[in-house]
Every structure is written in structure tokens, then in C-alpha cells.
Amino acid sequence: MLRRSLENRDAQTRQLQDAVTNVEKHFGELCQIFAAYVRKTARLRDKADLLVNEINVYACTETPNLKQGLKNFAEEFAKLQDYRQAEVERLEAKVVEPLKAYGTIVKMKRDDLKATLTARNREAKQLTQLERTRQRNPSDRHVISQAETELQRATMDATRTTRHLEETIDNFEKQKIKDIKVFRNSLYPPDYSSRLDIVRANSKSPLQRSLSAKCVSGTGQVSTCRLRKDQQADDDEEDEDLDVTEEENFLKK
């Protein structure tokens, strides 16, 4: 009876191991890909900022009508980059960083699994020892009683660690489901469409823009605080290096 119970608990432990391994694999991949997506979006934002600045510089050299049209376009295009910047910041804080944290979480769950397996192996070993003692010395009640006591202790320890493992894995699964919902919501902020409508509604008319348009370098050009020094670097090679680093960091946690 006890032997069958051990087999059932071993099967349960394997299922828990599979669940942890599955999260480790796929969350690691998701973390790597999301991080790469955020970096590429940030670079696209930076290129767009350069484009806005160049359009404004060019507009100052053209006739009034063409200059105003170019500046209107640059202004609207710059607004789109503000949303792209918000997307970068939101994904970094709400998706990438929480996914990185799962490297540490998975390590903790593996430690719990290891402790449970150790306790169960000790229990199985004590059970085998008791069975052998009963076969070899069926009349030696002292030795048999001592072996039964050791088995009882091992069983209690295994039961305790198993219960702890079940609780921690339940919490792990609940947290995983909750986080996945947060990730999904982070991709589509509920007020995204309404904010775009507000931007369109508040856009200045061509006449208002013509009155406020200036050809001063600081006015009408995007702030350079968002521009990166490595804008001309090889994006693909950098992505490959960073992807490897992200994956290694996740697995080391």
C-alpha cells in the first residue's frame, strides 16, 4: 500500500517538474523576443525622431506654403513617436521585467522540487530497508521496530515537503495566469484609442500652425534626449548579441 502511494506521488512530482520546465522554456523565449521587440521599437522611434528633425530643417529652406505643409506633417509624425515611446516604456516595465523575474522564480521552484525528491527518496530507502529487515530477521522485533520508526519519520518528512510543494506550485500557477493576463493588457492599454482621438481632436488647424510655426532650431524639432548615440550601429548584430545575453541571464537566475 505504501509502495503504491510512493509511486503515485512520484508521478505527481514528475507532472510538477514538467510544469516548471515548460514555464522556464517558454517564458525564457518570450522574455528574449519581447526584449528584442522593445529594442527594435525604440530604434524605430529614434529613426523617426531623426526624420522629424530633418523634415523641419528642410522646411526652413522652402517656400512658405511648402514649408508649412512639411512642418504640419512633421508635427503629426512626432506625435506618433510619443505613443511609440509610451509603448516602449510600458512593455519594458510591465512585460520584460516581470518575465525576467521568472528566472529567479523558476530556480526557487526547482529547489522546492529537489527538497521534495530528496525526502521521497529517503522514504523509499527506509521502506526498502524495513522490507529487507522483515525478510531477514522476522523475529527481531527491536530491529524491526527501529526500522519502522525511521520509516515513519521519513514518511512524515516526505508528506510535509510534498504538501509544501503542492501549495507553492498552486501559487506558482495562479501567479503565472495572473501575470499572463497583465502581459496581455499591457499590449493593449484600454485608453489607447481614446487617446488617439484626443490627439486628433486637439490638432491645430493649418492657420493656427502657420501663426505659431518658427524656423528656430529648437522649435519644431524633436528633443534629442530620446536619440541614442548608437543609432548608426549595426542593429542586427547588436540584437543577436543582446538576445544571447538575455537568454543566458534568464537561465542563470
Side-chain angles (χ1 to χ4, degrees):
M1 188 68 178
L2 183 56
R3 181 71 65 181
R4 180 177 299 177
S5 175
L6 287 174
E7 293 174 354
N8 291 336
R9 283 189 290 179
D10 286 342
Q12 179 192 37
T13 302
R14 283 193 294 272
Q15 290 179 340
L16 297 178
Q17 282 180 313
D18 291 342
V20 172
T21 299
N22 190 56
V23 170
E24 181 179 33
K25 174 185 176 182
H26 292 290
F27 273 39
E29 290 292 331
L30 286 172
C31 181
Q32 179 182 344
I33 295 171
F34 265 119
Y37 173 82
V38 169
R39 290 193 300 272
K40 286 183 179 293
T41 302
R43 291 195 189 98
L44 180 60
R45 172 209 61 202
D46 291 342
K47 296 296 184 183
D49 288 346
L50 288 174
L51 180 59
V52 168
N53 288 338
E54 182 58 29
I55 290 174
N56 278 306
V57 170
Y58 169 54
C60 292
T61 68
E62 281 293 349
T63 60
N65 287 338
L66 180 55
K67 177 177 69 176
Q68 190 59 51
L70 289 169
K71 284 188 168 293
N72 291 345
F73 171 75
E75 180 181 352
E76 297 300 325
F77 198 61
K79 291 177 182 178
L80 293 178
Q81 308 322 308
D82 292 336
Y83 285 104
R84 185 165 281 124
Q85 171 68 13
E87 178 189 20
V88 168
E89 294 175 353
R90 188 179 183 88
L91 286 176
E92 181 68 27
K94 299 294 186 180
V95 178
V96 176
E97 289 302 319
L99 281 173
K100 285 181 180 179
Y102 268 85
T104 300
I105 294 173
V106 167
K107 184 179 183 300
M108 294 173 59
K109 302 313 169 187
R110 287 205 177 280
D111 290 341
D112 291 336
L113 281 166
K114 183 178 179 180
T116 301
L117 289 173
T118 299
R120 289 183 180 177
N121 289 337
R122 188 183 305 114
E123 182 185 18
K125 181 179 179 180
Q126 291 297 332
L127 177 59
T128 300
Q129 184 174 341
L130 174 60
E131 291 172 344
R132 289 177 179 174
T133 300
R134 285 172 175 169
Q135 290 175 358
R136 295 174 182 176
N137 303 297
S139 60
D140 193 340
R141 289 304 307 165
H142 176 71
V143 176
I144 292 175
S145 177
Q146 191 174 26
E148 288 174 343
T149 299
E150 292 297 327
L151 174 59
Q152 185 178 13
R153 290 175 180 171
T155 299
M156 291 177 62
D157 187 42
T159 301
R160 178 182 59 80
T161 57
T162 298
R163 187 177 297 113
H164 172 71
L165 178 63
E166 291 172 349
E167 292 175 356
T168 191
I169 292 297
D170 283 344
N171 293 333
F172 174 71
E173 290 294 328
K174 291 176 182 178
Q175 186 64 41
K176 180 187 71 176
I177 293 172
K178 179 181 177 181
D179 287 341
I180 288 175
K181 289 180 179 179
V182 171
F183 300 157
R184 182 187 60 190
N185 293 337
S186 296
L187 296 178
Y188 303 100
D191 59 339
Y192 181 74
S193 297
S194 62
R195 285 187 297 175
L196 283 179
D197 293 337
I198 291 174
V199 169
R200 296 190 186 101
N202 292 339
S203 296
K204 297 179 180 179
S205 67
L207 178 60
Q208 289 173 316
R209 293 196 187 103
S210 64
L211 293 175
S212 61
K214 296 180 180 180
C215 292
V216 182
S217 60
T219 304
Q221 291 196 15
V222 177
S223 172
T224 58
C225 67
R226 295 209 318 250
L227 300 180
R228 308 283 171 80
K229 293 181 180 180
D230 59 347
Q231 287 166 345
Q232 304 303 322
D234 189 332
D235 292 347
D236 292 335
E237 288 185 6
E238 182 182 350
D239 272 347
E240 290 178 3
D241 293 340
L242 288 172
D243 288 347
V244 172
T245 303
E246 292 272 356
E247 185 173 11
E248 290 176 349
N249 289 338
F250 183 90
L251 295 176
K252 287 179 180 178
K253 289 185 178 181

